């Protein structure tokens, strides 16, 4: 019992020392001059593949990208779930022949209702 | 229809081309003489005390075995560099498998290929944005002296006109073995340089 607690204490000590070492080492190297610090206006400028940056980076995108992305993710995840189901369909359907199909159909139906709802709300139209 | 005028790039206008031309011309005017190579060279510099020498040895070893090159290639030499990075010659044996796509994380610039004056401000800017300490390796005849195009109006006759070059690797293009020889020379140079190595002070570009 006491041995286990000793291991735990060692672990706690290590868990404290190691992060402090990782945080402290760069600071020591920095202030001892091993890591040179020579900031300049060019170096602190935005990296644009060697080009001079111009204008503002905060350009506006059409908000409709968001709904498209969400719909894509939903259908994407659906296909990810359906692939292993389809690959193992024969093995699964040996025991319960209709259940496996119905379960997948219910899953697709739920997503299909959501998809039809999005379609009805004109999420697929580009305005 | 939304108004997209604010998204039109300045490079589509003549003014931007004019600005770029002025920048390139001023760079040509200021880069008539080659920049002297960094003076710490393989001959070996004695740094004094026992303590400093051992620290130098440790940090020199650490730095030389973890060089991260900047990911960019200018011309055909870049293909030999890619071959050197690939699985047959395998640059990761030298602790430099990661070609960094950002100058913030790169230690070393392999100038692989013909540098034109139009490209020169961009390369110089990349070098300026790399963190110290940093090293430059000129790969191939064109990077060393302009090579075949040294008489051309558009080619930089040697990248040492705009960058302080540490190692020159001759060849047209040099084989990966040649590049490796240059890299190993650079490793020796870093180990000799000491941990307080300063970079050559360059005049500002713009």
């Amino acid at each position: 019992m006491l041995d286990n607690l000793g291991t735990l204490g060692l672990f706690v000590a290590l868990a404290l020392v190691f992060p402090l070492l990782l945080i402290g080492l760069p600071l020591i190297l920095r202030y001892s001059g091993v890591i040179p610090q020579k900031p300049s206006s060019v170096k602190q400028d935005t990296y644009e593949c060697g080009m001079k940056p111009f204008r503002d980076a905060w350009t506006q995108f059409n908000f409709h990208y968001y709904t498209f992305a969400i719909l894509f993710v939903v259908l994407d995840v659906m296909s990810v779930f359906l692939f292993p189901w389809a690959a193992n369909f024969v093995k699964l359907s040996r025991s319960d022949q209709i259940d496996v199909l119905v379960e997948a159909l219910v899953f697709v139906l739920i997503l299909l209702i959501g998809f039809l709802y999005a379609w009805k709300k004109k999420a697929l139209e580009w305005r | 229809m939304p108004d997209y005028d604010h998204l039109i790039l300045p490079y589509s206008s003549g003014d931007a081309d004019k600005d770029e031309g002025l920048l390139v011309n001023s760079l040509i005017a200021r880069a008539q003489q080659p920049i002297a190579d960094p003076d710490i060279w393989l001959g070996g510099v004695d740094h004094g005390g026992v303590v400093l020498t051992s620290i130098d040895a440790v940090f020199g070893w650490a730095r030389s075995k973890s060089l991260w090159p900047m990911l960019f290639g200018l011309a055909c030499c870049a293909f030999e560099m890619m071959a050197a990075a690939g699985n047959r010659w395998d640059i990761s044996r030298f602790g430099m498998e990661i070609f960094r796509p950002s100058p913030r994380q790169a230690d070393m610039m392999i100038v692989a290929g013909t540098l034109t004056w139009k490209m020169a401000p961009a390369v110089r800017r990349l070098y300026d944005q790399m963190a110290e300490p940093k090293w430059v390796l000129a790969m191939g005849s064109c990077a060393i002296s302009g090579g075949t195009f040294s008489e051309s109006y558009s080619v930089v006759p040697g990248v040492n006109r705009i960058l302080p070059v540490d190692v020159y690797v001759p060849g047209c293009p040099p084989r990966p073995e040649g590049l490796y020889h240059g890299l190993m020379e650079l490793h020796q140079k870093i180990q000799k340089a000491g941990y307080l190595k300063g970079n050559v002070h360059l005049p500002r570009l713009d």
Side-chain angles (χ1 to χ4, degrees):
Chain A
M1 183 63 199
L2 211 58
D3 286 356
N4 291 343
L5 278 180
T7 315
L8 189 70
L10 195 69
F11 185 75
V12 168
L14 204 70
L16 285 174
V17 167
F18 187 65
L20 283 177
L21 195 73
L22 283 189
I23 295 166
L25 204 60
L27 288 175
I28 292 167
L29 292 179
R30 164 75 192 86
Y31 287 106
S32 60
V34 175
I35 300 172
Q37 195 180 34
K38 291 174 188 166
S40 70
S41 57
V42 177
K43 195 186 278 184
Q44 288 171 328
D45 211 350
T46 314
Y47 167 57
E48 288 286 354
C49 303
M51 296 294 117
K52 250 175 117 171
F54 54 87
R55 300 257 169 86
D56 209 351
W58 293 95
T59 51
Q60 293 183 329
F61 288 91
N62 198 322
F63 189 70
H64 275 89
Y65 282 117
Y66 177 71
T67 48
F68 272 84
I70 286 285
L71 283 175
F72 168 74
V73 167
V74 167
L75 296 176
D76 200 33
V77 170
M78 182 182 84
S79 64
V80 165
F81 278 122
L82 283 184
F83 266 112
W85 169 81
N88 292 309
F89 183 70
V90 177
K91 207 188 284 180
L92 290 171
S93 59
R94 250 173 224 153
S95 52
D96 299 307
Q97 293 204 329
I98 202 71
D99 284 10
V100 178
L101 186 65
V102 169
E103 277 165 9
L105 279 180
V106 167
F107 173 59
V108 170
L109 195 71
I110 291 168
L111 291 176
L112 197 67
I113 290 166
F115 187 71
L116 288 174
Y117 176 74
W119 195 353
K120 185 173 169 279
K121 295 295 266 185
K122 296 180 178 173
L124 296 177
E125 286 173 34
W126 191 263
R127 276 168 288 158
Chain B
M1 186 70 188
D3 183 23
Y4 287 122
D5 280 350
H6 64 287
L7 287 177
I8 292 172
L9 304 178
Y11 285 116
S12 62
S13 68
D15 287 343
D17 285 349
K18 203 173 138 196
D19 284 349
E20 196 189 1
L22 286 173
L23 178 67
V24 168
N25 277 330
S26 76
L27 186 67
I28 293 174
R30 272 181 291 165
Q32 285 305 307
Q33 292 301 317
I35 295 168
D37 299 339
D39 53 354
I40 305 159
W41 185 234
L42 297 173
V45 184
D46 190 21
H47 286 285
V50 177
V51 178
L52 267 183
T53 315
S54 359
I55 293 175
D56 272 357
V58 170
F59 284 111
W61 174 78
R63 274 180 183 167
S64 63
K65 304 298 183 204
S66 64
L67 272 183
W68 285 2
M70 174 83 202
L71 175 67
F72 84 107
L74 294 171
C76 24
C77 281
F79 289 92
E80 295 297 317
M81 186 177 73
M82 290 174 216
N87 53 3
R88 179 162 179 179
W89 282 279
D90 195 13
I91 207 167
S92 35
R93 290 177 295 156
F94 298 87
M96 45 201 305
E97 61 267 40
I98 319 176
F99 275 78
R100 299 314 294 182
S102 164
R104 318 282 191 212
Q105 303 156 352
D107 297 307
M108 175 198 175
M109 178 178 255
I110 301 176
V111 185
T114 318
L115 181 63
T116 56
W117 282 113
K118 190 177 165 70
M119 191 66 187
V123 171
R124 175 61 194 279
R125 196 180 174 83
L126 288 179
Y127 177 78
D128 286 343
Q129 287 187 334
M130 279 161 64
E132 270 97 358
K134 48 195 172 187
W135 292 272
V136 179
L137 188 146
M139 182 182 178
S141 308
C142 296
I144 291 172
S145 65
T148 318
F149 317 107
S150 59
E151 302 285 314
S152 168
Y153 69 98
S154 62
V155 172
V156 181
V159 291
N160 57 4
R161 293 293 181 95
I162 60 162
L163 300 172
V165 180
D166 288 288
V167 175
Y168 299 86
V169 178
C172 188
R175 286 181 56 80
E177 291 91 334
L179 178 61
Y180 280 144
H181 183 68
L183 292 177
M184 286 188 277
E185 295 284 301
L186 184 64
H187 286 178
Q188 287 182 34
K189 183 172 183 176
I190 294 168
Q191 281 169 1
K192 292 263 172 67
Y195 78 94
L196 290 176
K197 182 238 183 203
N199 277 99
V200 178
H201 179 72
L202 296 177
R204 283 204 54 183
L205 181 60
D206 46 347

Coordinates of all heavy atoms in Angstrom, one line a residue, chain B residues 6-64:
Chain B
H6 N -14.2 46.3 -53.8 CA -13.2 46.3 -52.8 C -12.3 45.1 -52.7 O -11.3 45.1 -52.1 CB -13.8 46.5 -51.4 CG -14.6 45.3 -51.0 ND1 -15.9 45.1 -51.6 CD2 -14.4 44.4 -50.1 CE1 -16.4 44.0 -51.0 NE2 -15.5 43.5 -50.1
L7 N -12.6 44.1 -53.5 CA -11.8 42.9 -53.5 C -10.9 42.8 -54.7 O -10.0 41.9 -54.8 CB -12.7 41.6 -53.6 CG -13.5 41.3 -52.4 CD1 -14.4 40.1 -52.6 CD2 -12.6 41.0 -51.2
I8 N -10.9 43.8 -55.6 CA -10.0 43.8 -56.7 C -8.6 44.1 -56.2 O -8.3 45.0 -55.4 CB -10.4 44.9 -57.7 CG1 -11.8 44.5 -58.4 CG2 -9.4 45.0 -58.8 CD1 -12.4 45.5 -59.2
L9 N -7.7 43.2 -56.7 CA -6.3 43.3 -56.2 C -5.6 44.4 -56.9 O -5.8 44.8 -58.0 CB -5.6 42.0 -56.5 CG -6.2 40.7 -56.0 CD1 -5.5 39.5 -56.4 CD2 -6.3 40.8 -54.4
P10 N -4.6 45.0 -56.1 CA -3.9 46.1 -56.7 C -3.0 45.7 -57.8 O -2.5 46.5 -58.7 CB -3.0 46.7 -55.6 CG -3.0 45.6 -54.5 CD -4.3 44.9 -54.7
Y11 N -2.7 44.3 -57.9 CA -1.8 43.9 -58.9 C -2.4 43.9 -60.3 O -1.8 43.7 -61.3 CB -1.3 42.5 -58.6 CG -0.3 42.5 -57.6 CD1 -0.5 41.9 -56.3 CD2 0.9 43.1 -57.8 CE1 0.5 41.9 -55.3 CE2 1.9 43.2 -56.8 CZ 1.6 42.6 -55.6 OH 2.6 42.6 -54.6
S12 N -3.8 44.1 -60.4 CA -4.4 44.2 -61.7 C -4.2 45.6 -62.3 O -4.4 45.8 -63.4 CB -5.9 43.9 -61.6 OG -6.5 44.9 -60.7
S13 N -3.7 46.5 -61.5 CA -3.6 47.9 -62.0 C -2.1 48.2 -62.4 O -1.2 47.5 -61.9 CB -4.0 48.9 -60.9 OG -3.1 48.9 -59.9
G14 N -2.0 49.1 -63.3 CA -0.6 49.5 -63.7 C 0.2 50.1 -62.6 O 1.4 49.9 -62.6
D15 N -0.4 50.7 -61.6 CA 0.3 51.3 -60.5 C 1.1 50.3 -59.7 O 2.3 50.5 -59.4 CB -0.6 52.1 -59.6 CG -1.2 53.3 -60.2 OD1 -0.5 53.8 -61.2 OD2 -2.2 53.9 -59.7
A16 N 0.5 49.1 -59.5 CA 1.2 48.1 -58.7 C 2.4 47.6 -59.5 O 3.5 47.4 -58.9 CB 0.2 47.0 -58.4
D17 N 2.3 47.4 -60.8 CA 3.4 47.0 -61.6 C 4.5 48.0 -61.5 O 5.7 47.7 -61.4 CB 3.0 46.8 -63.0 CG 2.2 45.5 -63.2 OD1 2.2 44.7 -62.2 OD2 1.6 45.3 -64.3
K18 N 4.1 49.3 -61.6 CA 5.1 50.3 -61.5 C 5.8 50.3 -60.2 O 7.1 50.4 -60.1 CB 4.4 51.7 -61.7 CG 5.3 52.8 -62.2 CD 4.5 54.0 -62.5 CE 5.1 55.3 -62.0 NZ 4.2 56.4 -62.0
D19 N 5.0 50.1 -59.1 CA 5.7 50.1 -57.7 C 6.7 48.9 -57.7 O 7.8 49.1 -57.2 CB 4.6 49.9 -56.7 CG 3.8 51.1 -56.4 OD1 4.3 52.2 -56.9 OD2 2.8 51.1 -55.8
E20 N 6.2 47.8 -58.2 CA 7.1 46.6 -58.1 C 8.4 46.9 -59.0 O 9.5 46.5 -58.5 CB 6.4 45.4 -58.7 CG 7.1 44.1 -58.3 CD 6.5 42.9 -59.0 OE1 5.5 43.1 -59.8 OE2 7.0 41.8 -58.8
G21 N 8.2 47.5 -60.1 CA 9.4 47.8 -60.9 C 10.3 48.8 -60.2 O 11.6 48.6 -60.3
L22 N 9.8 49.8 -59.5 CA 10.7 50.7 -58.8 C 11.4 50.0 -57.7 O 12.6 50.2 -57.5 CB 9.8 51.8 -58.2 CG 9.3 52.9 -59.2 CD1 8.3 53.8 -58.5 CD2 10.4 53.6 -59.8
L23 N 10.7 49.0 -57.0 CA 11.3 48.3 -55.9 C 12.5 47.4 -56.5 O 13.6 47.4 -55.9 CB 10.3 47.4 -55.2 CG 10.8 46.5 -54.1 CD1 11.2 47.3 -52.9 CD2 9.7 45.5 -53.7
V24 N 12.2 46.7 -57.6 CA 13.2 45.9 -58.2 C 14.4 46.7 -58.6 O 15.6 46.3 -58.4 CB 12.6 45.0 -59.3 CG1 13.7 44.4 -60.1 CG2 11.7 44.0 -58.8
N25 N 14.1 47.8 -59.3 CA 15.2 48.7 -59.8 C 16.1 49.2 -58.7 O 17.3 49.3 -58.8 CB 14.7 49.8 -60.6 CG 14.4 49.3 -62.0 OD1 15.1 48.4 -62.5 ND2 13.4 49.9 -62.7
S26 N 15.4 49.6 -57.6 CA 16.2 50.1 -56.4 C 17.0 49.0 -55.8 O 18.2 49.2 -55.4 CB 15.3 50.8 -55.4 OG 14.7 49.8 -54.7
L27 N 16.5 47.8 -55.8 CA 17.3 46.6 -55.3 C 18.5 46.4 -56.2 O 19.6 46.1 -55.7 CB 16.4 45.4 -55.2 CG 17.0 44.2 -54.6 CD1 17.2 44.4 -53.1 CD2 16.1 43.0 -54.8
I28 N 18.3 46.4 -57.5 CA 19.4 46.2 -58.4 C 20.5 47.3 -58.2 O 21.7 47.0 -58.1 CB 18.9 46.3 -59.9 CG1 18.0 45.1 -60.2 CG2 20.1 46.2 -60.9 CD1 17.4 45.1 -61.6
A29 N 20.0 48.5 -58.0 CA 21.0 49.6 -57.8 C 21.8 49.4 -56.5 O 23.0 49.7 -56.5 CB 20.3 50.9 -57.8
R30 N 21.2 48.8 -55.5 CA 21.8 48.7 -54.2 C 22.6 47.4 -54.1 O 23.4 47.2 -53.2 CB 20.8 48.8 -53.1 CG 20.7 50.2 -52.6 CD 19.7 50.3 -51.5 NE 18.4 50.0 -52.0 CZ 17.4 49.6 -51.1 NH1 17.6 49.6 -49.8 NH2 16.2 49.4 -51.6
A31 N 22.4 46.4 -55.0 CA 23.0 45.1 -54.9 C 24.1 44.9 -56.0 O 24.2 43.9 -56.6 CB 21.9 44.0 -55.0
Q32 N 24.8 46.0 -56.3 CA 25.9 45.8 -57.3 C 27.1 45.1 -56.8 O 27.8 44.4 -57.5 CB 26.3 47.2 -57.8 CG 25.3 47.9 -58.7 CD 24.9 47.0 -59.9 OE1 25.8 46.5 -60.6 NE2 23.6 46.7 -60.1
Q33 N 27.3 45.2 -55.5 CA 28.5 44.4 -54.9 C 27.9 43.2 -54.1 O 26.9 43.3 -53.4 CB 29.2 45.4 -53.9 CG 30.0 46.5 -54.7 CD 30.9 46.0 -55.7 OE1 31.7 45.0 -55.4 NE2 31.0 46.6 -56.9
P34 N 28.7 42.1 -54.1 CA 28.2 41.0 -53.3 C 28.4 41.2 -51.8 O 29.3 41.9 -51.4 CB 29.1 39.8 -53.8 CG 30.3 40.5 -54.5 CD 29.8 41.8 -55.0
I35 N 27.5 40.6 -51.0 CA 27.6 40.7 -49.6 C 28.6 39.7 -49.2 O 28.7 38.6 -49.6 CB 26.2 40.4 -49.0 CG1 25.2 41.4 -49.3 CG2 26.3 40.3 -47.5 CD1 23.8 41.0 -49.0
A36 N 29.5 40.2 -48.2 CA 30.6 39.3 -47.8 C 30.0 38.1 -47.1 O 29.0 38.2 -46.4 CB 31.5 40.1 -46.8
D37 N 30.7 36.9 -47.3 CA 30.2 35.7 -46.6 C 30.5 35.9 -45.1 O 31.4 36.5 -44.7 CB 31.0 34.5 -47.2 CG 30.8 34.3 -48.6 OD1 29.8 34.8 -49.2 OD2 31.7 33.7 -49.3
P38 N 29.6 35.2 -44.3 CA 29.8 35.3 -42.9 C 31.2 34.8 -42.5 O 31.6 33.7 -43.1 CB 28.7 34.4 -42.3 CG 27.7 34.4 -43.4 CD 28.4 34.6 -44.7
D39 N 31.9 35.5 -41.7 CA 33.4 35.2 -41.5 C 33.7 34.0 -40.7 O 34.8 33.5 -40.8 CB 34.0 36.5 -40.9 CG 33.3 36.8 -39.6 OD1 32.3 36.3 -39.3 OD2 33.8 37.7 -38.9
I40 N 32.7 33.5 -40.0 CA 33.0 32.3 -39.2 C 33.0 31.1 -40.2 O 32.0 30.8 -40.8 CB 31.9 32.0 -38.1 CG1 31.8 33.3 -37.2 CG2 32.2 30.8 -37.3 CD1 30.5 33.3 -36.5
W41 N 34.1 30.6 -40.4 CA 34.2 29.5 -41.4 C 34.9 28.3 -40.8 O 35.3 28.3 -39.7 CB 34.9 30.1 -42.7 CG 34.9 29.1 -43.8 CD1 36.0 28.7 -44.5 CD2 33.8 28.4 -44.3 NE1 35.6 27.8 -45.4 CE2 34.3 27.5 -45.3 CE3 32.4 28.3 -44.0 CZ2 33.5 26.7 -46.0 CZ3 31.6 27.4 -44.7 CH2 32.1 26.6 -45.7
L42 N 35.1 27.3 -41.7 CA 35.5 26.0 -41.2 C 36.9 26.0 -40.5 O 37.3 25.1 -39.9 CB 35.5 25.0 -42.3 CG 34.1 24.8 -42.8 CD1 34.2 23.9 -44.1 CD2 33.2 24.1 -41.8
G43 N 37.7 27.1 -40.7 CA 39.0 27.2 -40.2 C 39.0 27.0 -38.7 O 40.0 26.6 -38.1
G44 N 37.9 27.4 -38.0 CA 37.8 27.2 -36.6 C 38.1 28.4 -35.8 O 39.2 29.0 -36.1
V45 N 37.2 28.9 -35.0 CA 37.5 30.0 -34.2 C 37.5 29.6 -32.7 O 36.6 28.9 -32.3 CB 36.4 31.1 -34.3 CG1 36.7 32.3 -33.6 CG2 36.2 31.4 -35.8
D46 N 38.5 30.0 -32.0 CA 38.6 29.6 -30.6 C 37.8 30.6 -29.8 O 37.9 31.8 -29.9 CB 40.1 29.7 -30.1 CG 40.2 29.1 -28.7 OD1 39.3 28.3 -28.3 OD2 41.2 29.4 -28.1
H47 N 36.9 30.0 -28.9 CA 36.0 30.9 -28.2 C 36.4 31.1 -26.8 O 35.6 31.6 -26.0 CB 34.6 30.3 -28.2 CG 33.9 30.5 -29.6 ND1 33.4 31.7 -30.0 CD2 33.7 29.7 -30.6 CE1 32.9 31.6 -31.2 NE2 33.1 30.4 -31.6
G48 N 37.6 30.6 -26.4 CA 38.0 30.9 -25.1 C 37.8 29.7 -24.1 O 38.1 28.6 -24.4
G49 N 37.2 30.0 -23.0 CA 37.2 29.2 -21.8 C 36.6 27.8 -22.0 O 35.9 27.5 -23.0
V50 N 36.8 26.9 -21.0 CA 36.4 25.5 -21.1 C 34.9 25.5 -21.1 O 34.2 24.7 -21.8 CB 37.0 24.7 -19.9 CG1 36.5 23.3 -20.0 CG2 38.5 24.8 -20.0
V51 N 34.3 26.3 -20.2 CA 32.8 26.2 -20.0 C 32.1 26.7 -21.3 O 31.2 26.0 -21.8 CB 32.4 27.2 -18.8 CG1 30.9 27.1 -18.7 CG2 33.0 26.7 -17.5
L52 N 32.5 27.8 -21.8 CA 31.9 28.3 -23.0 C 32.1 27.3 -24.2 O 31.1 27.1 -24.9 CB 32.5 29.7 -23.4 CG 31.8 30.9 -22.9 CD1 32.5 32.1 -23.4 CD2 30.3 30.9 -23.3
T53 N 33.2 26.7 -24.3 CA 33.5 25.8 -25.3 C 32.6 24.6 -25.3 O 32.0 24.2 -26.3 CB 34.9 25.3 -25.3 OG1 35.8 26.5 -25.1 CG2 35.3 24.7 -26.6
S54 N 32.3 24.1 -24.0 CA 31.4 22.9 -23.9 C 30.0 23.3 -24.2 O 29.3 22.6 -24.9 CB 31.5 22.3 -22.6 OG 32.5 22.9 -21.8
I55 N 29.6 24.5 -23.8 CA 28.2 25.0 -24.1 C 28.1 25.1 -25.6 O 27.1 24.7 -26.2 CB 27.9 26.3 -23.4 CG1 27.9 26.1 -21.9 CG2 26.6 26.9 -23.8 CD1 27.7 27.3 -21.1
D56 N 29.1 25.7 -26.2 CA 29.1 25.9 -27.6 C 29.0 24.5 -28.3 O 28.2 24.4 -29.3 CB 30.4 26.5 -28.1 CG 30.3 28.0 -28.1 OD1 29.2 28.5 -27.8 OD2 31.4 28.7 -28.4
A57 N 29.7 23.5 -27.8 CA 29.6 22.2 -28.4 C 28.2 21.7 -28.3 O 27.7 21.1 -29.3 CB 30.6 21.3 -27.7
V58 N 27.6 21.8 -27.1 CA 26.3 21.3 -27.0 C 25.3 22.0 -27.9 O 24.5 21.3 -28.6 CB 25.8 21.4 -25.5 CG1 24.4 21.0 -25.3 CG2 26.7 20.5 -24.6
F59 N 25.3 23.3 -27.9 CA 24.3 24.0 -28.7 C 24.6 23.9 -30.1 O 23.7 23.8 -31.0 CB 24.2 25.5 -28.2 CG 23.4 25.6 -26.9 CD1 24.1 26.0 -25.8 CD2 22.1 25.3 -26.9 CE1 23.4 26.1 -24.6 CE2 21.4 25.5 -25.7 CZ 22.0 25.9 -24.6
G60 N 25.9 23.9 -30.5 CA 26.2 23.7 -31.9 C 25.8 22.3 -32.4 O 25.2 22.2 -33.5
W61 N 25.9 21.3 -31.6 CA 25.5 20.0 -31.9 C 24.0 20.0 -32.1 O 23.4 19.5 -33.1 CB 25.9 19.0 -30.9 CG 25.4 17.6 -31.0 CD1 25.8 16.7 -31.9 CD2 24.3 17.0 -30.3 NE1 25.1 15.5 -31.8 CE2 24.1 15.7 -30.8 CE3 23.4 17.5 -29.3 CZ2 23.1 14.9 -30.4 CZ3 22.4 16.7 -28.9 CH2 22.3 15.4 -29.4
A62 N 23.2 20.6 -31.1 CA 21.8 20.6 -31.2 C 21.3 21.3 -32.4 O 20.4 20.9 -33.1 CB 21.2 21.2 -29.9
R63 N 21.9 22.5 -32.7 CA 21.4 23.3 -33.8 C 21.7 22.6 -35.1 O 20.9 22.6 -36.0 CB 22.1 24.6 -33.8 CG 21.4 25.6 -32.9 CD 22.1 26.9 -32.9 NE 21.4 27.8 -32.0 CZ 21.9 29.0 -31.6 NH1 23.1 29.3 -32.1 NH2 21.3 29.7 -30.9
S64 N 22.9 22.0 -35.2 CA 23.3 21.4 -36.5 C 22.5 20.2 -36.8 O 22.3 19.8 -38.0 CB 24.8 21.2 -36.6 OG 25.1 20.2 -35.6

